[in-house]
Amino acid sequence: MGFVHALRAAGIPVSLAEGLDAARALQVVELTERESVRQAYAATLIKKPAYRPGFDVLFDLWFPRVTTELAEKYETTRTDPATAELPELRDELARLMAEGSDEELRRFAQAMVERFGRQEAGPGRQNWFSYSVLRALSPETLMARLLNEVLAGQERGGLPEKTARTRITGRIQQFEQEVAADVRRRIAEDSGTEKIARSTVRPPLDQIDFLRATKQDLAALRREVYPLARRLATRLSIKHRHGRRGRLDFRRTVRASLQTGGVPMATHFKPPRPHKPELVVLCDTSDSVASFAHFTLLLTYALREQFTKVRAFGFVDTVDEITRFFAPGSDVVEAMTRLANEADMVRFGRTNYGHAFERFAERYGEAVGPRSALLILGDARSNYQPPALDLVKRLTGQARHAYWLNPEPRAQWDTGDSIASEYAAVLPMRECRNVAQLAAFIEELA
């Protein structure tokens, strides 16, 4: 089924069993009722709220309300969208935001896309754009006018204004979404559903590549840190409590067997010894991987109760301990700002893994011991400098466990100045490009 394949291509996991569940659900809903079909698919295919926006975009592409040729005409007794002047259209938009139904707003959005969204791209070709519609109508500039009409002389700054502002903002966003949806539908009709689906739908937050994250993505990832940490900590605590038993308590077992004639009908175990490792994080903080390193450090420190001790070190071409910037209760943005301004991690400004490892062993070598889990974060791109493999092998041998997380796709390892395979021969190196992979790794590590 093409729709299910499109969901998978967009990073929304759908198993074979869930696809079969969706097919069975469609047998008990009215297929002519589009929203019933949407909800049947959503109930059977969507596992997380974060997947719903991408699902809705793809559903609108694969199951459009109308086609361009059969589009319902916008009907109103006040304006003709094809000939009305721009001030009249803005008046109509303001009226719909104040008192119109969702269906009226949708039809008006389609009419505005038809009028303002088209740009000729050559003989028989045309392009469609949302920004030209929104630039022409400027719905966000209607806020003051609508507030004056809704409040009608009431005192400003109180609860009525906040309520009205929230409602108007929601209606503006709804209009913008309807415009974007109709533009996507028209592009899909011209270029093909599969093509527009690949370029339109962004992956869910937990599958966005760290190295391609925008500022908005990074802000959302920061908000994701502590909820993710709480979920992981809960799972890890349950595993620590119920996942293991201690060694056999021979004395208690023999003593209990005296009650059954010396037959050990019940065995007793000693309490399990705590097995929380010390964690040593050594991360490349250069610009090329900064977002990956920062997010990983934030998540690691949010999970610090799962480890006996956490120490973090950052480097570009020299190394400095950065544990002090992540004190409990410290502000995330402030910690990152101090890390960038105060830490001594840059000597000449070009990443040099070999020199950084040498400085780490010289200044902080005692941090790695038989109870330590050593975690190295970086893309293994060292500007063609010596890698200090023998030193890395020695540090790895000192630690109980050692891992390397690389935020680049595996296909890019060993390209250009990457020496990923050389380091991977010394310690396990894993691809870690997004939150989902990072969460899975930390759960396994702890």
Side-chain angles (χ1 to χ4, degrees):
M1 168 182 313
F3 178 54
V4 172
H5 290 315
L7 290 174
R8 290 173 179 149
I12 301 175
V14 178
S15 67
L16 177 60
E18 288 165 341
L20 294 174
D21 288 341
R24 283 191 287 267
L26 294 179
Q27 297 175 358
V28 297
V29 300
E30 180 55 56
L31 296 181
T32 59
E33 295 180 1
R34 184 169 176 272
E35 289 307 309
S36 296
V37 175
R38 183 197 298 269
Q39 298 307 325
Y41 269 125
T44 52
L45 302 180
I46 299 302
K47 305 177 185 67
K48 296 181 180 179
Y51 297 157
R52 186 60 191 258
F55 166 87
D56 284 331
V57 169
L58 289 172
F59 184 88
D60 289 338
L61 289 174
W62 285 87
F63 305 98
R65 292 185 178 93
V66 292
T67 61
T68 301
E69 294 76 15
L70 300 177
E72 302 174 67
K73 301 297 183 182
Y74 175 77
E75 298 177 358
T76 177
T77 58
R78 304 192 179 197
T79 58
D80 179 357
T83 59
E85 296 293 331
L86 193 56
E88 295 180 84
L89 294 175
R90 282 173 53 81
D91 290 343
E92 180 65 5
L93 178 57
R95 182 186 73 82
L96 292 174
M97 287 184 177
E99 59 187 41
S101 67
D102 291 347
E103 180 65 15
E104 289 177 317
L105 191 64
R106 178 180 69 81
R107 293 186 185 182
F108 184 77
Q110 289 183 333
M112 294 301 96
V113 172
E114 180 69 26
R115 178 165 175 179
F116 297 109
R118 188 202 318 261
Q119 292 187 11
E120 298 299 328
R125 296 177 55 199
Q126 57 190 7
N127 294 328
W128 298 94
F129 298 96
S130 298
Y131 81 89
S132 56
V133 180
L134 301 178
R135 183 181 59 187
L137 295 173
S138 299
E140 70 280 357
T141 63
L142 297 172
M143 174 67 77
R145 169 181 169 179
L146 291 170
L147 282 175
N148 288 332
E149 293 177 359
V150 171
L151 296 176
Q154 298 183 52
E155 183 180 354
R156 305 299 291 265
L159 180 59
E161 180 181 347
K162 292 181 181 179
T163 303
R165 190 179 292 275
T166 300
R167 181 179 183 279
I168 295 169
T169 300
R171 293 291 279 176
I172 291 173
Q173 292 175 348
Q174 183 181 353
F175 175 73
E176 293 173 348
Q177 291 167 1
E178 293 290 358
V179 168
D182 196 58
V183 167
R184 285 193 297 266
R185 175 180 65 80
R186 293 170 188 267
I187 295 175
E189 290 176 355
D190 293 341
S191 305
T193 303
E194 293 83 357
K195 182 178 179 179
I196 187 62
R198 288 194 297 270
S199 61
T200 300
V201 181
R202 302 197 68 222
L205 182 62
D206 63 351
Q207 297 184 31
I208 293 176
D209 280 11
F210 291 120
L211 303 187
R212 294 184 175 89
T214 64
K215 289 184 178 180
Q216 291 182 339
D217 294 332
L218 292 176
L221 287 173
R222 289 192 188 101
R223 292 193 296 269
E224 183 75 7
V225 168
Y226 290 102
L228 175 61
R230 285 195 298 269
R231 291 196 299 271
L232 288 176
T234 299
R235 294 178 193 171
L236 298 174
S237 297
I238 292 174
K239 286 184 178 181
H240 288 159
R241 287 197 305 266
H242 305 298
R244 302 191 319 272
R245 294 188 298 182
R247 299 174 61 184
L248 176 68
D249 190 331
F250 184 76
R251 178 176 297 179
R252 288 185 60 202
T253 301
V254 171
R255 187 176 300 159
S257 70
L258 298 178
Q259 301 177 10
T260 55
V263 179
M265 300 295 292
T267 54
H268 295 268
F269 296 87
K270 296 179 179 179
R273 296 177 59 186
H275 182 58
K276 289 186 177 183
E278 297 177 0
L279 182 61
V280 178
V281 184
L282 182 58
C283 62
D284 180 355
T285 58
S286 60
D287 292 340
S288 61
V289 292
S291 58
F292 163 66
H294 289 179
F295 183 80
T296 306
L297 286 170
L298 289 174
L299 182 59
T300 302
Y301 272 86
L303 280 168
R304 58 182 169 268
E305 69 272 11
Q306 300 300 318
F307 303 93
T308 304
K309 183 190 299 183
V310 177
R311 294 183 69 181
F313 305 86
F315 68 88
V316 175
D317 55 1
T318 189
V319 68
D320 189 17
E321 182 165 6
I322 56 178
T323 310
R324 62 188 182 278
F325 300 111
F326 296 91
S330 60
D331 178 74
V332 171
V333 177
E334 180 183 347
M336 291 306 173
T337 302
R338 290 185 59 207
L339 172 64
N341 294 334
E342 300 177 23
D344 180 21
M345 300 178 293
V346 183
R347 185 181 53 159
F348 299 117
R350 294 171 61 86
T351 310
N352 187 332
Y353 278 75
H355 185 267
F357 290 146
E358 290 171 356
R359 291 292 291 161
F360 174 78
E362 177 184 332
R363 298 173 59 184
Y364 308 108
E366 81 289 348
V368 181
R371 297 191 61 203
S372 303
L374 174 63
L375 182 60
I376 301 176
L377 314 174
D379 57 6
R381 294 188 178 273
S382 191
N383 290 294
Y384 304 101
Q385 299 300 315
L389 291 176
D390 291 340
L391 182 56
V392 175
K393 185 180 296 186
R394 178 163 65 83
L395 291 172
T396 301
Q398 292 175 201
R400 179 169 184 161
H401 304 288
Y403 304 93
W404 188 308
L405 300 185
N406 192 326
E408 288 193 332
R410 189 177 293 271
Q412 296 180 15
W413 295 5
D414 299 326
T415 61
D417 61 342
S418 171
I419 48 176
S421 291
E422 295 186 39
Y423 285 123
V426 177
L427 73 166
M429 181 177 291
R430 301 193 183 187
E431 178 185 289
C432 185
R433 296 186 293 114
N434 52 49
V435 173
Q437 291 179 336
L438 178 59
F441 169 77
I442 289 187
E443 183 173 0
E444 177 184 336
L445 175 64

